Amino acid sequence: MAVKSIPEEYGSLVFNDRVMHERLPKDVYKAVRKCIENGTHLDLEVANSVAAAMKSWAIELGATHYTHWFQPMTGLTAEKHDSFITPQEDGTVIMEFSGKELVMGEPDASSFPSGGLRATFEARGYTAWDPSSPAFVKDGTLYIPTAFISYGGQKLDKKTPLLSSIEALSDEAVKMLHLLGHPEVTRVNTTIGSEQEYFLIDKDMYMKRKDLLLTGRTLIGAPAPKGQEMEDHYFGVLKPKVSEFMHDLDEELWKLGVPAKTKHNEVAPSQHELAPVFEKANIAVDHNQLTMEVMKRVADRHHLACLLHEKPFEGVNGSGKHNNWSLSTNTGKNLLDPGKDLGNNTVFLVFLVAIISAVDEYADLLRVSVATAGNDHRLGANEAPPAIISIFVGEELEAVLKAIDDGTEFVTEGKKQMGLGPQVLPHITKDTTDRNRTSPFAFTGNKFEFRMPGSSLSCADPSIVLNTAVAEELSRMYDKLKDVPQDQLDEEIRKLLKEMLDSHKRILFNGNGYTDEWVAEAKRRGLDNLKSLPEAMPRLVSKKSIELFGKHKVFTEEELNSRYEIFLENYTKTIHIESLTMQEMVRKDFTNGLVKYMKDITDEVIKKKQFMPEMKCTYERQILSTLENTSEKMAVSLDKLEADTQTAEKETDALRAATYYHDTILADMDELRASVDAAEAIIPEGYLPYPTYGELLFALR
Ligand code: ADP
Ligand code: MG
């Protein structure tokens, strides 16, 4: 068979626009396009026609089942597969799929986290087709992206609020653009490109580590003699095994229509990154979820394990997911492109100031949106931005903003050319948004890059907050400007921007975000430093949050309360499992190795003494006494962890429980780990039933 070219393979498993154009009757195709572009509803007749086309297309690709694919509050995706078969009287079957089955599903909602919504409402939940994200075929099943809501209409997932926030932002942005003289714009899309970091390790080794298997991160483990200090991994040559994995991954993603674009080694040993070409937010979020799943599957096929946890290893960098975010009009204009005459680009400046104000005013909600037990290990740990939100805009934008603030004229300097020395090298224009890698929220040329999200997070979480907060700022700006006569509009806009900058410029910070000076400076500026999930989470149910999300119909107060419960519970459960796993690993696996090694040395000493009574055995005794001392400490810490975990189990209040897990259990685990790691560092490899850091991080070839 001839090898298919990439353009032929790309999207070959996706029910995309091309397929719809080919297979749907003209009027049906038009109705679906209208629905996707303008968010209009589809009637059942259209759905029936789409379902029939989808079914025959999927069957040609080998599908036997369909599933409503949704994103419950577990942070993962969920699916229940139904086959197309309908038995007939004569003992045969036909393959059926109706419009009703396409549009709506009814999974039992009672086993998904609902944070109390379940108690007051029926357990029934509904999945509803999201026509704006294309269906696809994977492993013999037709996947239909859906929203997941309760019987009473409450949002039980991450897609529904994301869609609401995208609509809210579009509505406000369109109003503003009309006011600014762009009546041709009818919709503004949020765009997202998410850079996904991950680790790859040998599968056999992975299977031998209970901590990685059960919690996604190593809970004990002495550092390897080498870490990331040589800075030799970032952008380094790909090892053959890794390269084969990445190649396979790209191909699978391309078939599914996921535009995987860039791949490279990251800073830590065995750490890598994949970045796609950006897409409309809703699709980008679905595609990122899909990417994470496919990564794991392809890794497995290559006898590897793909780790998506935020902090799989102590002492080397953890993994994040940079969320690149921008706004573009249905007429194809990126609203965050400063253009050539930045100082006079009113549209850009209005949106820029709206974003700055939104990030300052709702910084705590952005922080909440990236809070997970895993990500807490990264933020502020000198590898990722601190838990303080600030914005980096770069020199040029800062100069414009200062000019607005001072009421002076801004003169565009034009891009500077960089002399590269040797004549053979091309001239390169200097990027004025010189990359500040330490900023959590950075302007990078024509988009913002939010760098706080953890590697396993759904991009929906931070986008929901950002979209809604920017919608709110735009809405307030519109209210202030809507009645201004045309000839005074420019002046009033300048005044308004100045006013807003005055109140929000404290969030702008171009310096090094990893320093202690910044922590102190941020405090002086009154910026929040919410270090952990339990500290941050109450902000989700604050009056300000309830008002914001309520006004833009993204979350009701009840939905916020339910999410608050779910996030706290998830945090508590995560650390609870970590504690139990650590106790088991230390008691059974580690202690076994420790005792065996101590016994072997003792036997050795006894033997030596029998053979030559005058032998001192200084070194053996030294090892024995060090191990003895550390195991004493270890026993005390282990008992404390066990007792405190039992106390924790009794706490019924969600916030108090989470706080206790943070303050007490995590501290207990750190203490226990210190003595285990100290002992592990001198125990020879063969004694432990699991691989060490050195093997885990450096074994792949
Ligand atoms: P870096 O690692 O330097 O941040 P990458 O090229 O790895 O840069 O990632 C940049 C990401 O930003 C890519 O996923 C890209 O698609 C995305 N991106 C570019 N333009 C936009 C935009 N207008 N909206 C959203 N994301 C964008
Ligand atoms: Mg980046």
Side-chain angles (χ1 to χ4, degrees), residues 37 55 132 192-193 195 262 269 303 324 330 337 423 460 507 530 552 585 597:
E37 272 153 31
K55 181 196 68 181
S132 64
I192 291 181
E195 302 160 53
T262 311
H303 215 82
N324 295 274
N330 61 314
D337 182 354
Q423 286 300 319
I507 197 83
L530 302 165
H552 297 280
M585 239 177 127
Y597 184 45

PDB file of all heavy atoms in Angstrom, residues 37 55 132 192-193 195 262 269 303 324 330 337 423 460 507 530 552 585 597:
ATOM      1  N   GLU A  37     -20.570  28.667  14.031  1.00  0.00           N
ATOM      2  CA  GLU A  37     -20.044  30.031  13.993  1.00  0.00           C
ATOM      3  C   GLU A  37     -20.786  30.992  14.913  1.00  0.00           C
ATOM      4  O   GLU A  37     -20.180  31.855  15.536  1.00  0.00           O
ATOM      5  CB  GLU A  37     -20.061  30.563  12.553  1.00  0.00           C
ATOM      6  CG  GLU A  37     -18.772  30.206  11.823  1.00  0.00           C
ATOM      7  CD  GLU A  37     -18.973  30.114  10.315  1.00  0.00           C
ATOM      8  OE1 GLU A  37     -19.845  30.840   9.796  1.00  0.00           O
ATOM      9  OE2 GLU A  37     -18.265  29.307   9.689  1.00  0.00           O
ATOM     10  N   LYS A  55     -22.540   8.381  11.333  1.00  0.00           N
ATOM     11  CA  LYS A  55     -22.508   6.935  11.533  1.00  0.00           C
ATOM     12  C   LYS A  55     -21.852   6.235  10.346  1.00  0.00           C
ATOM     13  O   LYS A  55     -20.917   5.443  10.528  1.00  0.00           O
ATOM     14  CB  LYS A  55     -23.929   6.388  11.737  1.00  0.00           C
ATOM     15  CG  LYS A  55     -23.961   4.898  11.971  1.00  0.00           C
ATOM     16  CD  LYS A  55     -25.352   4.309  11.794  1.00  0.00           C
ATOM     17  CE  LYS A  55     -25.785   4.379  10.342  1.00  0.00           C
ATOM     18  NZ  LYS A  55     -27.128   3.841  10.109  1.00  0.00           N
ATOM     19  N   SER A 132     -19.500  22.519  18.227  1.00  0.00           N
ATOM     20  CA  SER A 132     -18.356  23.366  17.890  1.00  0.00           C
ATOM     21  C   SER A 132     -17.022  22.649  18.036  1.00  0.00           C
ATOM     22  O   SER A 132     -15.981  23.171  17.676  1.00  0.00           O
ATOM     23  CB  SER A 132     -18.384  24.660  18.717  1.00  0.00           C
ATOM     24  OG  SER A 132     -18.243  24.379  20.083  1.00  0.00           O
ATOM     25  N   ILE A 192      -6.293  29.476  22.111  1.00  0.00           N
ATOM     26  CA  ILE A 192      -5.373  28.898  23.095  1.00  0.00           C
ATOM     27  C   ILE A 192      -4.358  27.994  22.406  1.00  0.00           C
ATOM     28  O   ILE A 192      -4.713  27.205  21.525  1.00  0.00           O
ATOM     29  CB  ILE A 192      -6.135  28.068  24.153  1.00  0.00           C
ATOM     30  CG1 ILE A 192      -6.970  28.973  25.050  1.00  0.00           C
ATOM     31  CG2 ILE A 192      -5.160  27.264  25.018  1.00  0.00           C
ATOM     32  CD1 ILE A 192      -7.729  28.231  26.117  1.00  0.00           C
ATOM     33  N   GLY A 193      -3.119  28.132  22.806  1.00  0.00           N
ATOM     34  CA  GLY A 193      -2.080  27.169  22.427  1.00  0.00           C
ATOM     35  C   GLY A 193      -1.408  26.744  23.719  1.00  0.00           C
ATOM     36  O   GLY A 193      -0.882  27.579  24.450  1.00  0.00           O
ATOM     37  N   GLU A 195       1.376  24.663  25.764  1.00  0.00           N
ATOM     38  CA  GLU A 195       2.623  23.887  25.724  1.00  0.00           C
ATOM     39  C   GLU A 195       2.571  22.862  26.846  1.00  0.00           C
ATOM     40  O   GLU A 195       2.398  23.204  28.004  1.00  0.00           O
ATOM     41  CB  GLU A 195       3.817  24.814  25.929  1.00  0.00           C
ATOM     42  CG  GLU A 195       3.890  25.923  24.893  1.00  0.00           C
ATOM     43  CD  GLU A 195       4.748  27.077  25.380  1.00  0.00           C
ATOM     44  OE1 GLU A 195       5.897  26.836  25.774  1.00  0.00           O
ATOM     45  OE2 GLU A 195       4.251  28.207  25.392  1.00  0.00           O
ATOM     46  N   THR A 262       5.563  21.582  17.820  1.00  0.00           N
ATOM     47  CA  THR A 262       6.939  21.672  18.302  1.00  0.00           C
ATOM     48  C   THR A 262       7.207  20.608  19.345  1.00  0.00           C
ATOM     49  O   THR A 262       6.350  20.333  20.184  1.00  0.00           O
ATOM     50  CB  THR A 262       7.147  23.054  18.967  1.00  0.00           C
ATOM     51  OG1 THR A 262       6.656  24.050  18.081  1.00  0.00           O
ATOM     52  CG2 THR A 262       8.606  23.316  19.263  1.00  0.00           C
ATOM     53  N   PRO A 269      16.252  16.194  33.430  1.00  0.00           N
ATOM     54  CA  PRO A 269      16.532  14.971  32.678  1.00  0.00           C
ATOM     55  C   PRO A 269      15.235  14.192  32.462  1.00  0.00           C
ATOM     56  O   PRO A 269      14.392  14.144  33.367  1.00  0.00           O
ATOM     57  CB  PRO A 269      17.496  14.200  33.592  1.00  0.00           C
ATOM     58  CG  PRO A 269      17.450  14.863  34.922  1.00  0.00           C
ATOM     59  CD  PRO A 269      16.996  16.265  34.704  1.00  0.00           C
ATOM     60  N   HIS A 303       6.846   0.921  25.494  1.00  0.00           N
ATOM     61  CA  HIS A 303       7.380   0.423  26.750  1.00  0.00           C
ATOM     62  C   HIS A 303       7.930   1.552  27.631  1.00  0.00           C
ATOM     63  O   HIS A 303       8.978   1.448  28.262  1.00  0.00           O
ATOM     64  CB  HIS A 303       8.451  -0.641  26.511  1.00  0.00           C
ATOM     65  CG  HIS A 303       8.395  -1.694  27.569  1.00  0.00           C
ATOM     66  ND1 HIS A 303       7.506  -2.738  27.533  1.00  0.00           N
ATOM     67  CD2 HIS A 303       9.077  -1.822  28.719  1.00  0.00           C
ATOM     68  CE1 HIS A 303       7.635  -3.458  28.622  1.00  0.00           C
ATOM     69  NE2 HIS A 303       8.578  -2.929  29.356  1.00  0.00           N
ATOM     70  N   ASN A 324      -1.043  29.720  26.313  1.00  0.00           N
ATOM     71  CA  ASN A 324      -0.959  30.913  25.466  1.00  0.00           C
ATOM     72  C   ASN A 324      -2.368  31.294  25.080  1.00  0.00           C
ATOM     73  O   ASN A 324      -3.135  30.445  24.614  1.00  0.00           O
ATOM     74  CB  ASN A 324      -0.113  30.627  24.235  1.00  0.00           C
ATOM     75  CG  ASN A 324       1.327  30.344  24.612  1.00  0.00           C
ATOM     76  OD1 ASN A 324       2.128  31.246  24.749  1.00  0.00           O
ATOM     77  ND2 ASN A 324       1.647  29.073  24.819  1.00  0.00           N
ATOM     78  N   ASN A 330     -13.898  37.342  14.128  1.00  0.00           N
ATOM     79  CA  ASN A 330     -14.333  36.460  13.037  1.00  0.00           C
ATOM     80  C   ASN A 330     -13.862  36.995  11.684  1.00  0.00           C
ATOM     81  O   ASN A 330     -13.932  36.309  10.681  1.00  0.00           O
ATOM     82  CB  ASN A 330     -15.856  36.304  13.049  1.00  0.00           C
ATOM     83  CG  ASN A 330     -16.558  37.629  12.854  1.00  0.00           C
ATOM     84  OD1 ASN A 330     -16.195  38.633  13.479  1.00  0.00           O
ATOM     85  ND2 ASN A 330     -17.556  37.645  11.994  1.00  0.00           N
ATOM     86  N   ASP A 337      -2.488  41.886  18.638  1.00  0.00           N
ATOM     87  CA  ASP A 337      -1.356  42.223  17.784  1.00  0.00           C
ATOM     88  C   ASP A 337      -1.174  43.742  17.839  1.00  0.00           C
ATOM     89  O   ASP A 337      -2.043  44.485  17.397  1.00  0.00           O
ATOM     90  CB  ASP A 337      -1.659  41.756  16.354  1.00  0.00           C
ATOM     91  CG  ASP A 337      -0.493  42.034  15.427  1.00  0.00           C
ATOM     92  OD1 ASP A 337       0.480  42.687  15.870  1.00  0.00           O
ATOM     93  OD2 ASP A 337      -0.560  41.610  14.261  1.00  0.00           O
ATOM     94  N   GLN A 423      28.754  38.366   8.414  1.00  0.00           N
ATOM     95  CA  GLN A 423      27.897  38.874   7.344  1.00  0.00           C
ATOM     96  C   GLN A 423      26.954  37.817   6.775  1.00  0.00           C
ATOM     97  O   GLN A 423      25.904  38.154   6.249  1.00  0.00           O
ATOM     98  CB  GLN A 423      28.776  39.449   6.215  1.00  0.00           C
ATOM     99  CG  GLN A 423      29.417  40.784   6.549  1.00  0.00           C
ATOM    100  CD  GLN A 423      28.378  41.863   6.840  1.00  0.00           C
ATOM    101  OE1 GLN A 423      27.364  41.952   6.175  1.00  0.00           O
ATOM    102  NE2 GLN A 423      28.630  42.672   7.864  1.00  0.00           N
ATOM    103  N   ALA A 460      -9.145  24.467  30.484  1.00  0.00           N
ATOM    104  CA  ALA A 460     -10.434  25.124  30.678  1.00  0.00           C
ATOM    105  C   ALA A 460     -10.413  25.957  31.957  1.00  0.00           C
ATOM    106  O   ALA A 460     -10.911  27.081  31.981  1.00  0.00           O
ATOM    107  CB  ALA A 460     -11.551  24.089  30.764  1.00  0.00           C
ATOM    108  N   ILE A 507       0.170  45.592  39.258  1.00  0.00           N
ATOM    109  CA  ILE A 507       0.315  44.201  38.806  1.00  0.00           C
ATOM    110  C   ILE A 507       1.449  44.053  37.786  1.00  0.00           C
ATOM    111  O   ILE A 507       1.908  42.945  37.504  1.00  0.00           O
ATOM    112  CB  ILE A 507      -1.035  43.698  38.205  1.00  0.00           C
ATOM    113  CG1 ILE A 507      -1.085  42.166  38.090  1.00  0.00           C
ATOM    114  CG2 ILE A 507      -1.304  44.273  36.828  1.00  0.00           C
ATOM    115  CD1 ILE A 507      -1.464  41.448  39.326  1.00  0.00           C
ATOM    116  N   LEU A 530      -0.881  33.697  47.573  1.00  0.00           N
ATOM    117  CA  LEU A 530      -1.650  32.573  48.121  1.00  0.00           C
ATOM    118  C   LEU A 530      -0.877  31.300  47.842  1.00  0.00           C
ATOM    119  O   LEU A 530      -0.914  30.753  46.747  1.00  0.00           O
ATOM    120  CB  LEU A 530      -3.043  32.536  47.483  1.00  0.00           C
ATOM    121  CG  LEU A 530      -3.863  33.817  47.685  1.00  0.00           C
ATOM    122  CD1 LEU A 530      -5.051  33.864  46.740  1.00  0.00           C
ATOM    123  CD2 LEU A 530      -4.313  33.937  49.137  1.00  0.00           C
ATOM    124  N   HIS A 552     -22.049  37.100  34.482  1.00  0.00           N
ATOM    125  CA  HIS A 552     -21.773  36.640  33.114  1.00  0.00           C
ATOM    126  C   HIS A 552     -22.292  35.228  32.824  1.00  0.00           C
ATOM    127  O   HIS A 552     -21.947  34.631  31.816  1.00  0.00           O
ATOM    128  CB  HIS A 552     -20.277  36.769  32.818  1.00  0.00           C
ATOM    129  CG  HIS A 552     -19.832  38.198  32.860  1.00  0.00           C
ATOM    130  ND1 HIS A 552     -20.035  39.061  31.807  1.00  0.00           N
ATOM    131  CD2 HIS A 552     -19.275  38.929  33.854  1.00  0.00           C
ATOM    132  CE1 HIS A 552     -19.586  40.265  32.148  1.00  0.00           C
ATOM    133  NE2 HIS A 552     -19.125  40.216  33.376  1.00  0.00           N
ATOM    134  N   MET A 585       4.949   1.997  51.470  1.00  0.00           N
ATOM    135  CA  MET A 585       6.246   1.834  50.809  1.00  0.00           C
ATOM    136  C   MET A 585       7.392   1.796  51.808  1.00  0.00           C
ATOM    137  O   MET A 585       8.338   1.021  51.676  1.00  0.00           O
ATOM    138  CB  MET A 585       6.460   3.001  49.849  1.00  0.00           C
ATOM    139  CG  MET A 585       6.661   2.560  48.422  1.00  0.00           C
ATOM    140  SD  MET A 585       6.825   3.984  47.373  1.00  0.00           S
ATOM    141  CE  MET A 585       8.361   3.598  46.552  1.00  0.00           C
ATOM    142  N   TYR A 597      20.028  -5.060  54.592  1.00  0.00           N
ATOM    143  CA  TYR A 597      21.372  -4.501  54.446  1.00  0.00           C
ATOM    144  C   TYR A 597      22.068  -4.444  55.811  1.00  0.00           C
ATOM    145  O   TYR A 597      23.228  -4.824  55.964  1.00  0.00           O
ATOM    146  CB  TYR A 597      21.291  -3.101  53.822  1.00  0.00           C
ATOM    147  CG  TYR A 597      22.647  -2.484  53.545  1.00  0.00           C
ATOM    148  CD1 TYR A 597      23.671  -3.229  52.954  1.00  0.00           C
ATOM    149  CD2 TYR A 597      22.910  -1.148  53.867  1.00  0.00           C
ATOM    150  CE1 TYR A 597      24.913  -2.661  52.692  1.00  0.00           C
ATOM    151  CE2 TYR A 597      24.145  -0.577  53.602  1.00  0.00           C
ATOM    152  CZ  TYR A 597      25.147  -1.336  53.021  1.00  0.00           C
ATOM    153  OH  TYR A 597      26.372  -0.782  52.770  1.00  0.00           O
TER     154      TYR A 597
END
